[in-house]
Each structure stands twice: as C-alpha cells, then as structure tokens.
Amino acid sequence: MELHHIRYFVSVARHQSFTRAAAENMVAQPSLSQQIRRLEEELGAPLFDRSRTPVRLTEAGEALLPHAEAILRQVEAAKAAVEERLGLRTGRLVLGSLPMTGSRVLPRVITAFRRRYPGIQVILREESTQRLTELALAGETDLTLTTLPLGSPGLLAQPLLTEPILLALPPDHPLVLEVTGPTGVRPVPLSAVADEPFLIMKPGYGFRDLVLEACRAAGFVPQIAFESAQIETLQAMVAAGLGVTLVPEMAADRSLRPAPVFVPLAGDPLTRTLALAWRRDRPLPRSAEAFLRLSSELWPL
C-alpha cells in the first residue's frame, strides 16, 4: 500500500467522483482508476460501488476511510515536525513558469507549499520557454516549470507529469462527423490535416517546436496561418473556423461557445512531459528542495 494510493482513495471518497478526484490530483482519470484498482487488489475487496452515480464507498471502503484519513494526517504532522526542526520559517522561492502551463499546474502546489511553509515568500515569473531557460541559467529563478527536453545542458530537471496532445478542430470541420460516433471520438492521424491552415505558438515557446516536429514526423510541413503567445487565443480562432491546432490535454478549453472539437491522435502517442528545472552547477536553496519534494508527493510518477 503506497501513500499516493491512500491519497487518491481519500480524494475519490471525498468527491464521490473519479473524474473530480483525477482533476484535483492533476492525473489522468485512467491512471487514477488504475491506482485505485491496485489498492483494491492488495486489500482483496472493492472500495467503491462504481455502478452508482455518484460513486459510493463499499463496506470495505467505509472501513478503510477513517484509517486512510488518519494516515494522511500523520504524514503531514511528521513532515511538519521535521521541517520545523530544519528551520524553513523564512526565505523566498523564485519560480519561473510558462503562463499557460503554470495557471493549470502551479496553483495547487503553491497553495500546499504556502500552507506548509507560510514564512516563505513565493515569487512567480511567467515567460516564454526560451526566456525561462535564460533566467534559469542566469540564476534569476530557483526552479522553472517547463517541458522536456530541456533547452540547455546547463540545467537539471525533475519530471512531474506526462499528458497527451490533442488535435483541435473547428466544430463544423468535415473530420468531426467522420470521427464522432456513439462510443465517443476515435483517433485520427495528424496527416489527415496536412492541408489545413495551422495556428501555432510564436517562436520562443517550446510547444511550437513540439508541433512543428510532430508535423514533420507525420510527413508534412504545416501551413502556418497565425501565431500567438496564448494557447487560449489559438483555440478561440479554431472555434471560429480559422484553422486547426494541437493542444495539451490540460489546456483544452471546452468552455468556449462554440468550442473546438478535441480529437486524440492515432499512432504513436504524442505527449509532452512537464518538469521542474534548475541550474546544474548551483546548489538548490532549501526552499526549492522543499518545493521539489512536495511536487513529487502531489504527482508521483
């Protein structure tokens, strides 16, 4: 029984939903469900009644819940005791981040960090991938949320999570009718949109390089119709029928009206891996080490 199994179990029990628990823990729902099943296999009993909506605890789940909550409280108390002895009472932590990615990943971990270390000031710098690499190498940030591979051999990184990349299509695109069925949306090869106008990030953003490389691997050079520094702008333009784009799963904005149709890609999985990076030749401040430890707890690989 691993600690993240306990954390996921308590989260599902609290929300009565695998979907909301996965969102809270910033993991894909299939991954969270798999971890819960491993816990159930270890215990030899189902913990949730999945036939009901919302999901409910079984008798075994009801028996486990108070113990699981107590374990999490004890773990937090143990960490607090150690950190109090280490003296992380004051200081500051400078984080670099991509704006799009940081807005979806960092609030959760910063909230947990400030709860645990209320005396540490957290400073956030949002820049392009290229600029973030420059700041990290110059020692102007302690940790940087970025994507792998790193932009310089002078940096080290701790991976956080890997997410799929989706194809965003206008809602009235002919492909939408072809791929949408009663069982959901089926994957399509990226080459299916080789002749479409592409909307991509401006130079200096790592996601632009990922898109261009994916198109090259699919056998074509994209016809770039528009560039932006904001993935939200690109999605709004896709929704308006001005072209297609690729979007990280966590950034897919389904709240737009109309919204793009997000389609999984066929073939070898196209993903991006987020990581926290720092300068190789510079000792990490204790506040940054604490942030890395906390991030590993929230996103166990």
Side-chain angles (χ1 to χ4, degrees), residues 2-296:
E2 298 184 22
L3 185 59
H4 66 278
H5 291 162
I6 297 295
R7 184 175 290 112
Y8 292 168
F9 164 73
V10 170
S11 184
V12 175
R14 182 170 63 252
H15 291 290
Q16 296 184 302
S17 166
F18 283 83
T19 300
R20 289 196 292 273
E24 178 182 60
N25 289 278
M26 294 295 292
V27 295
Q29 182 177 330
S31 176
L32 182 139
S33 297
Q34 183 182 42
Q35 298 300 320
I36 294 294
R37 289 203 180 277
R38 288 180 182 174
L39 179 59
E40 291 174 323
E41 290 170 4
E42 182 176 349
L43 295 174
L47 299 173
F48 295 100
D49 180 355
R50 296 166 171 81
S51 68
R52 305 172 65 181
T53 302
V55 297
R56 299 293 177 87
L57 288 166
T58 61
E59 289 187 10
E62 293 279 6
L64 176 61
L65 183 59
H67 298 284
E69 291 174 330
I71 288 170
L72 294 182
R73 287 194 299 269
Q74 290 169 1
V75 168
E76 289 300 315
K79 290 174 182 173
V82 171
E83 288 152 1
E84 178 68 18
R85 179 66 61 87
L86 291 176
L88 275 174
R89 298 185 181 90
T90 62
R92 75 171 195 162
L93 174 67
V94 182
L95 299 175
S97 176
L98 300 164
M100 171 192 69
T101 304
S103 66
R104 290 162 174 81
V105 174
L106 289 180
R108 177 177 173 229
V109 66
I110 290 176
T111 297
F113 183 81
R114 295 190 67 178
R115 186 181 301 122
R116 190 175 295 179
Y117 308 103
I120 303 294
Q121 179 188 15
V122 179
I123 300 170
L124 182 63
R125 298 194 61 172
E126 294 181 315
E127 301 285 353
S128 67
T129 308
Q130 180 178 329
R131 181 60 179 149
L132 287 174
T133 298
E134 295 170 355
L135 292 173
L137 292 172
E140 295 186 32
T141 54
D142 298 312
L143 292 171
T144 295
L145 180 65
T146 187
T147 55
L148 298 181
L150 297 175
S152 169
L155 299 177
L156 294 175
Q158 172 179 291
L160 287 184
L161 59 96
T162 298
E163 63 172 336
I165 305 300
L166 305 175
L167 173 64
L169 297 173
D172 59 353
H173 193 283
L175 267 179
V176 172
L177 291 178
E178 294 180 26
V179 303
T180 304
T183 59
V185 180
R186 65 177 176 83
V188 299
L190 185 56
S191 58
V193 292
D195 296 328
E196 300 285 342
F198 263 75
L199 315 175
I200 69 172
M201 300 293 288
K202 287 183 176 181
Y205 287 86
F207 194 68
R208 174 193 177 94
D209 299 331
L210 184 151
V211 171
L212 294 178
E213 178 56 35
C215 292
R216 282 192 290 268
F220 68 96
V221 176
Q223 305 171 29
I224 300 174
F226 189 82
E227 300 174 344
S228 175
Q230 302 294 331
I231 195 73
E232 292 86 356
T233 300
L234 298 180
Q235 293 182 76
M237 297 183 78
V238 169
L242 298 177
V244 303
T245 193
L246 295 180
V247 180
E249 184 178 56
M250 73 168 61
D253 188 355
R254 295 176 173 85
S255 67
L256 292 169
R257 293 293 180 271
V261 176
F262 298 100
V263 182
L265 292 167
D268 293 335
L270 181 60
T271 62
R272 73 163 182 171
T273 297
L274 301 180
L276 285 169
W278 63 94
R279 204 167 87 177
R280 180 185 294 271
D281 62 352
R282 180 187 181 191
L284 276 174
R286 284 165 57 190
S287 59
E289 291 178 346
F291 195 89
L292 284 175
R293 288 196 301 271
L294 181 55
S295 298
S296 296

